[in-house]
Amino acid sequence: MKGFDLADILANPEYVAMLVHGIEMTFVIAISSWLLAMSLALLLLAIRFAPGRIGNSVVAAYVSYHRNVPTLVQLMLWYFGIYTVLPSGLSDWLSAHSAEMIFAIIGLGLCQAAYFSEDLRSGLRSVNPGQMEAARALGHGYVSAMRFVLIPQGVRNALPALVNHSVSLFKNSSLAIVIGAPELSHAIKEIDNLSFRTFEIYLIGTLLYLFFSLIIMATGAYVTWRADPANGARR
């Protein structure tokens, strides 16, 4: 039986290169899906606050679906379901351009948009209604008041929840292993198969996920602190 030896992995250039590539792909998935999720969340928020009940009902159904169906199942539906019924030309193009990565980004982004939109909606609803009246009294129209007065305050109120869900999105990028995306957890599995150093490589993987999650949390905490008007007054 082999003894515990991290150097057996860390001193191997091939394994280190696989880990670095896995980290890079993890951040490509996480950042791309975050941008997709936030863009869609803002659109969902706009629809939710627009006049009319149909749009609100559609958004509510969208949020309910993505919050109640496991993210893993959604990724598998995209890759093993939707991907197989696409036109052959589009399917071939996706195959030539890392379909696993693309569908991981789409699946995670669409799912996380539901959480982001609810975070933003809660933050916006926590803004004093008098802010809208004050903005209108100063000559702002509805869109201008939302853009320059209410939304900045709502986003600031939603920052803690947005940070938490951003960390969750980063961690959920590991689920992309089930559709073959070459991210960090996929690299860890491949190194395990090659080295038979199961404990060592999964320990390294755990520490890497912990390290980057803490970095994201610390960055989010700093942004939240900077956005607090009370702290701004002390600077």
Side-chain angles (χ1 to χ4, degrees):
M1 181 180 294
K2 293 183 178 181
F4 179 81
D5 186 7
L6 284 176
D8 195 31
I9 292 174
L10 298 178
N12 188 312
E14 179 185 0
Y15 297 161
V16 172
M18 292 171 67
L19 284 173
V20 171
H21 182 261
I23 292 170
E24 291 175 350
M25 293 301 99
T26 289
F27 275 99
V28 168
I29 292 173
I31 294 173
S32 299
S33 56
W34 190 94
L35 292 172
L36 173 61
M38 185 56 68
S39 300
L40 184 55
L42 291 171
L43 176 61
L44 294 173
L45 184 69
I47 295 173
R48 198 123 200 204
F49 278 88
R53 302 179 61 179
I54 296 178
N56 186 68
S57 299
V58 170
V59 174
Y62 177 94
V63 171
S64 179
Y65 166 77
H66 285 93
R67 293 180 69 176
N68 290 285
V69 176
T71 307
L72 179 63
V73 174
Q74 295 182 43
L75 288 175
M76 295 176 71
L77 173 64
W78 274 101
Y79 189 73
F80 297 111
I82 296 175
Y83 184 26
T84 61
V85 298
L86 293 176
S88 58
L90 178 57
S91 179
D92 292 340
W93 184 89
L94 289 170
S95 298
H97 293 83
S98 189
E100 298 84 4
M101 293 284 292
I102 293 173
F103 281 109
I105 291 168
I106 292 173
L108 290 171
L110 294 181
C111 179
Q112 200 63 43
Y115 293 91
F116 283 171
S117 69
E118 288 299 283
D119 294 338
L120 293 170
R121 185 168 76 105
S122 297
L124 197 55
R125 292 179 65 182
S126 67
V127 177
N128 192 316
Q131 294 289 314
M132 173 61 82
E133 298 174 7
R136 298 301 289 269
L138 291 173
H140 286 281
Y142 176 80
V143 174
S144 178
M146 289 291 289
R147 178 181 177 185
F148 295 107
V149 180
L150 272 73
I151 289 181
Q153 296 182 64
V155 170
R156 184 172 63 239
N157 295 339
L159 275 176
L162 290 173
V163 171
N164 287 337
H165 282 134
S166 296
V167 175
S168 295
L169 174 58
F170 171 76
K171 294 186 296 183
N172 284 341
S173 66
S174 63
L175 297 176
I177 189 177
V178 301
I179 61 174
E183 40 71 61
L184 180 56
S185 58
H186 185 275
I188 291 169
K189 182 180 178 182
E190 290 299 306
I191 294 172
D192 178 30
N193 292 337
L194 293 171
S195 67
F196 300 103
R197 290 284 184 181
T198 301
F199 178 67
E200 289 89 339
I201 188 55
Y202 279 99
L203 175 62
I204 291 172
T206 299
L207 293 176
L208 287 172
Y209 276 112
L210 176 62
F211 173 74
F212 290 120
S213 295
L214 291 176
I215 290 294
I216 296 171
M217 290 178 63
T219 303
Y222 176 74
V223 171
T224 302
W225 182 84
R226 292 275 297 183
D228 190 334
N231 294 323
R234 290 196 290 267
R235 289 195 294 273

